[in-house]
Amino acid sequence: AQKITQTQPGMFVQEKEAVTLDCTYDTSDQSYGLFWYKQPSSGEMIFLIYQGSYDEQNATEGRYSLNFQKARKSANLVISASQLGDSAMYFCAMRVVLGAGNNRKLIWGLGTSLAVNP
Amino acid sequence: KAGVTQTPRYLIKTRGQQVTLSCSPISGHRSVSWYQQTPGQGLQFLFEYFSETQRNKGNFPGRFSGRQFSNSRSEMNVSTLELGDSALYLCASSLGLAGVRETQYFGPGTRLLVL
């Protein structure tokens, strides 16, 4: 079954430190995309970073990097130099293609709540 | 480029009423997806529209319906509201043709409270 697992319901980190948010996925597809989103208390879901299953390099976007370990089926998000504004829910998601054509499905994890302490 | 907009932002309704939520996607995006988010159930997929056609549907009762217009704007309707429909409703837009690389961009959401 296709599934995303985020095992950390809540995490704490000191300001300016790095933090890793875990995400493991399950799919038998060879082609898939992995996404991380941030959701502050305001509710809007903000796209952070994308990793394709065939991408050889780990994705990076500013202070965000994705530690992609394909054999272990993990796609952990690393936030460097945490800031107070990083306090939010973080969701990992996986997109797979359903059958023929361009029909795709986005599968979501339950999220990790990150609190950055001053 | 303007982001995804959703109206209204907040809504209070009573049981049995019906509600219509609106979403305007990013210019050039042809796919609009709707999600329901509740503390207990997390993020649940409602449906996706692409070029005015429903392309995917989640496991929600028929009280939940949607449509997409020729300008890619989308509306979602919930009839005969129940207390359990209280949630944050998120709309996301994307190009619609990028396969597994397809990135969705979300609007600010509509918070619906059913009394």
Side-chain angles (χ1 to χ4, degrees):
Chain A
Q2 293 160 334
K3 190 179 177 182
I4 290 282
T5 302
Q6 295 181 254
T7 57
Q8 307 152 311
M11 291 277 289
F12 292 92
V13 66
Q14 282 300 120
E15 195 178 4
K16 300 180 185 176
E17 291 185 350
V19 63
T20 297
L21 305 183
D22 294 343
C23 172
T24 57
Y25 59 91
D26 189 13
T27 181
S28 56
D29 290 4
Q30 296 301 305
S31 178
Y32 50 88
L34 296 159
F35 301 80
W36 277 93
Y37 284 85
K38 169 185 176 182
Q39 187 178 40
S41 56
S42 60
E44 183 173 352
M45 199 76 79
I46 302 166
F47 166 69
L48 295 178
I49 196 166
Y50 164 82
Q51 178 84 42
S53 59
Y54 293 119
D55 294 343
E56 295 185 354
Q57 303 278 347
N58 284 342
T60 60
E61 287 287 347
R63 294 186 300 110
Y64 304 107
S65 60
L66 202 151
N67 184 0
F68 181 45
Q69 298 188 42
K70 197 169 182 177
R72 301 176 72 174
K73 293 190 173 180
S74 75
N76 298 338
L77 177 70
V78 180
I79 306 174
S80 64
S82 297
Q83 302 172 354
L84 295 179
D86 294 334
S87 294
M89 281 290 290
Y90 288 81
F91 292 91
C92 179
M94 174 175 66
R95 185 177 294 284
V96 296
V97 175
L98 303 174
N102 200 36
N103 196 3
R104 318 80 81 245
K105 181 178 179 180
L106 194 59
I107 300 160
W108 293 83
L110 293 179
T112 295
S113 177
L114 176 67
V116 180
N117 297 322
Chain B
K1 197 182 259 193
V4 180
T5 58
Q6 288 186 249
T7 56
R9 293 292 312 279
Y10 303 92
L11 209 47
I12 300 175
K13 291 284 188 179
T14 56
R15 279 182 300 174
Q17 287 187 310
Q18 67 119 22
V19 66
T20 299
L21 311 182
S22 180
C23 172
S24 293
I26 292 170
S27 176
H29 285 190
R30 293 165 62 188
S31 171
V32 173
S33 296
W34 288 90
Y35 294 88
Q36 182 196 66
Q37 187 178 31
T38 58
Q41 299 292 325
L43 200 67
Q44 292 190 287
F45 171 71
L46 280 155
F47 27 66
E48 178 195 9
Y49 286 87
F50 176 77
S51 291
E52 301 179 67
T53 301
Q54 188 180 86
R55 185 155 70 173
N56 275 316
K57 189 177 188 304
N59 295 325
F60 277 81
R63 300 186 296 108
F64 292 82
S65 63
R67 58 178 176 168
Q68 187 179 33
F69 302 95
S70 58
N71 62 357
S72 292
R73 190 177 70 85
S74 176
E75 286 183 348
M76 187 195 111
N77 185 274
V78 188
S79 63
T80 319
L81 283 166
E82 300 177 359
L83 295 179
D85 297 334
S86 294
L88 176 66
Y89 290 87
L90 291 164
C91 165
S93 82
S94 59
L95 289 169
L97 295 170
V100 295
R101 304 187 70 86
E102 186 89 352
T103 299
Q104 289 186 338
Y105 297 91
F106 285 78
T110 295
R111 290 191 186 274
L112 172 65
L113 177 61
V114 182
L115 301 176

